[in-house]
DNA sequence: GCCTCACAGATTGTCGACAATCTTGTTGTG
DNA sequence: CACAACAAGATTGTCGACAATCTGTGAGGC
């Protein structure tokens, strides 16, 4: 069954052009698994589905490719990347490096509004933790917001773009589809708190070290899970 | 005067499709400044120049955008990014983080062939240094090759892609057009040598520290130049 | 029985044309 | 004289069609 649907309006205002709306919509479906990892992308089929021309859809596909969510081979077509254990671990190493640097920069940039925002967010998370008694309080998006904000506070546009507009979509993809949100609720919360303290104190070196440990701990946690599961 | 030229054959074999050849050609011209930084990209004009359709050229333009070499605004068009002091310094911070991690990983991966290659390259550079008596021996590409190889040795595909297929084109753009190759010939050479030693010894922590210092030293050198120049 | 080759079908790459939008120069008004 | 509205020109976004290429199926030969 083929249902013709127009691009979601929520995605609509985020971009003026049809191609960009298609891009946003498809990106969402790839991230949450509606379009399964490893599956083939058929340009004609998707064009019909969204009632758009193949050209516009092609533009969206190419943007997805440069995001690293699709792999394209000439004269063959595009496939959604598949999720591998190796890919997930690689992602952690890159994040450790970049988010560590983001913390260092955020500490020296030291912009008041960002810090305030981080504190508010953490307080909000703490409330939720109290409510849900630490079982798995960290709804993935909460943790996500924290890291997102830290990066924004770095005030390095290249770093922000690399993490927020590229790598984080891949992170979300792994989280949604492999469900690897850590049950390290309490410790993660304390680590977040310590990181903010360091940033607030202007201690870039410490902030970087703490963030790197934080991410590495997540990575080790995942590694452990992966090895016990088999 | 408008000269119709076909895409360079050297770029031709690197990609099968016309759009990809256009992409490679344009990327080269943007990096070396043949297409000046900050200038506007006219799709019809370039399409005529390469005797291609606007569609194919558009695809190339979009790839350049996602490389960060062009900025596009809807219904307005694309411009080559302009080179700013801030952008250059941002690049150094990101490189410090990523190449530091690359060194750490290269040390633990420890693949024989990569190390051998690095040693050979360094020996080659040493020869050239002896010849040119350290005045500015490091032809930029020599230094470039070194960093490039290190990253390859990390064996982290995401890291390799981010640095070699994205950031390094921006690095080259700054080098070609601002001519900021460091005259830190001798010290840079020794630093490279020490980094390889650490990698060879399997000491990832040390390798990372040394690489980060190496890049930070370059950054400071540039900063000094920039401040004395005005 | 297995491998090679050719053919049909579908998909991708490329092209030119039309509609929507922005930029620029001009005109008119306070 | 400055500023705002308007019109001409060009550029971008979108579309449908044609040609080149790949995938998979089936026939034929060893």
């Amino acid at each position: 069954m083929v249902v013709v649907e127009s691009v979601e309006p929520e995605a609509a205002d985020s971009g003026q052009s049809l191609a960009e709306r298609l891009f946003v919509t498809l990106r969402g479906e790839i991230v949450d698994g509606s379009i399964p990892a490893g599956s083939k992308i058929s340009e004609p089929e998707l064009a019909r589905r969204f009632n758009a021309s193949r050209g516009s859809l092609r533009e969206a596909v190419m943007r997805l490719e440069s995001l690293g969510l699709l792999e394209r081979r000439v004269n063959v077509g595009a496939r959604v990347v598949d999720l591998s254990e190796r890919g997930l671990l690689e992602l952690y190493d890159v994040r450790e490096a970049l988010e560590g640097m983001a913390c260092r920069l955020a500490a020296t940039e030291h912009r008041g509004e960002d810090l305030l925002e981080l504190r508010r967010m953490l307080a909000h998370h703490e409330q939720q933790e109290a409510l849900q008694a630490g079982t798995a309080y960290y709804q993935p998006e909460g943790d996500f917001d924290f890291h997102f904000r830290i990066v924004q506070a770095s005030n390095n546009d290249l770093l922000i773009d690399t993490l927020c507009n590229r790598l984080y979509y891949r992170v979300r993809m792994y989280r949604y589809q492999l469900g690897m949100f850590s049950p390290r609720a309490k410790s993660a919360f304390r680590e977040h708190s310590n990181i903010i303290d360091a940033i607030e104190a202007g201690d870039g070196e410490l902030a970087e070290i703490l963030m790197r440990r934080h991410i590495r701990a997540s990575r080790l946690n995942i590694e452990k899970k992966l090895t016990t599961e088999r």
Side-chain angles (χ1 to χ4, degrees), chain A residues 7-8 11 20-30 50:
Chain A
V7 219
E8 283 99 60
E20 184 148 347
R21 281 173 301 187
L22 288 170
F23 165 67
V24 172
T25 302
L26 287 175
R27 185 180 61 191
E29 298 199 0
I30 290 174
F50 292 114

Side-chain angles (χ1 to χ4, degrees), chain A residues 166-184:
Chain A
R166 291 183 54 80
L167 298 186
Y168 279 171
Y169 290 104
R170 206 181 288 218
V171 173
R172 280 207 187 91
M173 193 172 164
Y174 275 101
R175 286 224 179 137
Y176 273 105
Q177 299 193 36
L178 294 192
M180 289 292 182
F181 49 88
S182 70
R184 310 191 307 114

Side-chain angles (χ1 to χ4, degrees), chain A residues 38-151:
Chain A
S39 63
K40 183 158 181 4
I41 295 291
S42 166
E43 292 179 2
E45 181 192 326
L46 284 178
R48 279 194 304 274
R49 181 181 149 200
F50 292 114
N51 213 17
S53 88
R54 233 190 76 216
S56 299
L57 191 121
R58 256 175 88 80
E59 179 170 338
V61 166
M62 285 188 308
R63 293 203 207 182
L64 290 168
E65 181 197 11
S66 68
L67 246 190
L69 262 42
L70 297 183
E71 283 172 349
R72 242 175 27 141
R73 287 191 323 184
V74 271
N75 282 318
V76 172
R79 309 188 76 86
V80 181
V81 295
D82 18 332
L83 305 176
S84 67
E85 174 180 342
R86 180 178 170 183
L88 180 57
L89 296 179
E90 286 188 358
L91 199 43
Y92 271 105
D93 285 339
V94 173
R95 283 184 60 195
E96 180 186 331
L98 288 179
E99 295 194 24
M101 177 59 76
C103 273
R104 173 182 290 266
L105 296 177
T108 54
E109 282 294 329
H110 215 221
R111 307 200 313 180
E113 66 263 37
D114 292 326
L115 283 177
L116 221 61
E117 182 61 33
L118 278 169
R119 281 280 175 215
R120 280 204 313 111
M121 185 182 311
L122 202 66
H124 181 64
H125 290 169
E126 192 171 22
Q127 265 191 337
Q128 296 213 332
E129 183 192 34
L131 269 161
Q132 304 197 12
T135 56
Y137 95 104
Y138 254 14
Q139 67 280 53
E141 290 302 328
D143 178 72
F144 207 88
D145 281 351
F146 175 79
H147 288 264
F148 193 88
R149 294 280 181 180
I150 292 265
V151 175

